[in-house]
């Protein structure tokens, strides 16, 4: 068993039992008592409040709940910065889902990390000088269609074109350009791969009861052979 696996196992035992002795842990993992001492020290260095009761063993501080993950200050700062970048997206569904996910993530920040991340939050601004005011609300649903191989039906309007065309597509990938999300999909109308700006999809329907066979789409190869033409 690796040290990491053993540390996770010891932490699980500490959560489930009132007291654990070094001898008990040494016998369980077939390691020396000195190794157990080092393991306990590692847990303490990671911020786990392990209490040593002289002559009796180890326990967790009363009322302590182990968070599923622990974030460093730099990791928390990266998430706060990403929040500002995502806020510029033109797709409401993506912005909403990211904000809800970030709220859950923030709930496991240590108090000191939470305070510093809030301070950083007030010191970031992202400016968007693209004044084309077109928004969308489809990105999150179409992302699910990609991962579940669902057909999508869309009504699509190209830039500078008054006509709206009906398309049945197999969605494969996304990329972002100038704060606009671009969907790459197999289009049955054109019988080829096409790029669609999400904010120009006027209506969409996910065909959840049917799935398509993956054509083995490769995003890198697509960009090598087919420049952006949404």
């Amino acid at each position: 068993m690796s040290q990491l696996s053993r540390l996770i196992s010891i932490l699980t035992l500490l959560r489930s039992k009132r007291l654990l002795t070094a001898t008990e842990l040494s016998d369980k993992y077939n390691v020396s008592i000195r190794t157990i001492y080092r393991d306990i020290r590692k847990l303490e260095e990671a911020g786990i409040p392990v209490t040593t009761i002289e002559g009796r063993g180890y326990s967790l501080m009363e009322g302590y709940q182990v968070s599923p993950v622990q974030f460093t200050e730099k990791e928390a700062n990266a998430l706060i910065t990403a929040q500002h970048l995502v806020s510029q997206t033109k797709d409401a569904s993506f912005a909403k889902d990211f904000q809800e996910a970030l709220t859950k993530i923030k709930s496991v920040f240590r108090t000191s990390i939470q305070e510093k991340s809030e301070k950083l939050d007030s010191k970031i601004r992202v400016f968007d000088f693209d004044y084309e005011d077109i928004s969308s609300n489809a990105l999150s649903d179409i992302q699910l269609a990609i991962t579940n191989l669902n057909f999508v039906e869309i009504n699509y309007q190209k830039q500078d074109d008054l006509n709206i065309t009906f398309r049945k597509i197999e969605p494969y990938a996304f990329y972002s350009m100038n704060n606009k999300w671009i969907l790459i999909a197999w289009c049955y109308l054109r019988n080829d791969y096409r790029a669609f700006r999400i904010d120009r999809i006027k209506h969409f329907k996910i065909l959840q009861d049917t799935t398509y066979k993956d054509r083995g789409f490769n995003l890198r190869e697509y960009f090598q052979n087919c420049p952006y033409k949404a």
Side-chain angles (χ1 to χ4, degrees):
M1 176 183 286
S2 67
Q3 184 187 44
L4 178 59
S5 298
R6 191 172 62 250
L7 289 174
I8 294 173
S9 181
I10 291 174
L11 181 55
T12 301
L13 287 174
L14 285 169
R15 294 182 66 189
S16 62
K17 295 183 65 174
R18 293 291 297 174
L19 282 173
L20 291 171
T21 66
T23 300
E24 181 181 359
L25 292 171
S26 173
D27 291 342
K28 178 176 177 60
Y29 299 111
N30 194 28
V31 295
S32 68
I33 290 180
R34 186 180 297 276
T35 296
I36 295 301
Y37 291 158
R38 287 197 293 266
D39 288 345
I40 295 298
R41 190 155 54 247
K42 282 283 187 182
L43 291 173
E44 292 172 339
E45 290 171 355
I48 308 300
V50 180
T51 300
T52 303
I53 303 176
E54 200 65 34
R56 297 183 61 189
Y58 306 106
S59 69
L60 281 180
M61 182 183 295
E62 186 70 23
Y64 177 73
Q65 295 295 321
V66 179
S67 299
V69 288
Q70 293 289 341
F71 290 90
T72 66
E73 184 178 350
K74 290 174 71 175
E75 290 168 341
N77 289 346
L79 287 167
I80 295 301
T81 304
Q83 178 184 19
H84 283 265
L85 295 173
V86 169
S87 69
Q88 299 300 309
T89 182
K90 302 295 184 181
D91 190 273
S93 65
F94 176 61
K96 175 178 177 292
D97 288 340
F98 182 87
Q99 186 58 51
E100 290 179 353
L102 187 59
T103 298
K104 294 177 182 178
I105 292 172
K106 285 181 177 180
S107 70
V108 303
F109 283 179
R110 297 194 303 274
T111 301
S112 60
I113 298 295
Q114 178 70 41
E115 291 174 350
K116 290 180 179 179
S117 68
E118 290 176 354
K119 180 179 181 180
L120 180 66
D121 188 27
S122 67
K123 297 180 180 296
I124 298 176
R125 289 293 182 272
V126 177
F127 295 98
D128 178 14
F129 294 103
D130 184 355
Y131 295 107
E132 187 177 9
D133 189 20
I134 302 177
S135 61
S136 63
N137 194 28
L139 184 61
S140 290
D141 286 323
I142 296 179
Q143 285 176 333
L144 291 178
I146 289 176
T147 57
N148 291 288
L149 300 178
N150 291 130
F151 291 102
V152 182
E153 294 177 344
I154 64 173
N155 291 328
Y156 189 72
Q157 184 178 22
K158 291 184 177 181
Q159 190 172 8
D160 301 323
D161 189 344
L162 296 178
N163 296 316
I164 297 176
T165 59
F166 172 81
R167 314 284 186 103
K168 182 178 180 179
I169 60 175
E170 300 173 3
Y172 280 102
F174 281 102
Y175 65 93
S176 180
M177 177 181 288
N178 299 326
N179 287 329
K180 298 178 179 64
W181 286 102
I182 315 298
L183 167 67
I184 303 172
W186 179 268
C187 176
Y188 281 85
L189 179 64
R190 304 304 182 195
N191 198 34
D192 199 357
Y193 290 110
R194 287 291 186 269
F196 300 96
R197 269 181 50 177
I198 297 296
D199 56 10
R200 294 195 172 279
I201 296 177
K202 300 303 179 182
H203 176 75
F204 72 95
K205 180 180 180 181
I206 310 295
L207 305 184
Q208 297 180 341
D209 296 330
T210 58
T211 59
Y212 58 85
K213 184 178 180 180
D214 194 332
R215 297 173 186 267
F217 176 83
N218 184 290
L219 190 59
R220 178 176 295 179
E221 291 178 0
Y222 173 83
F223 282 121
Q224 289 175 344
N225 302 316
C226 187
Y228 166 72
K229 293 181 180 179

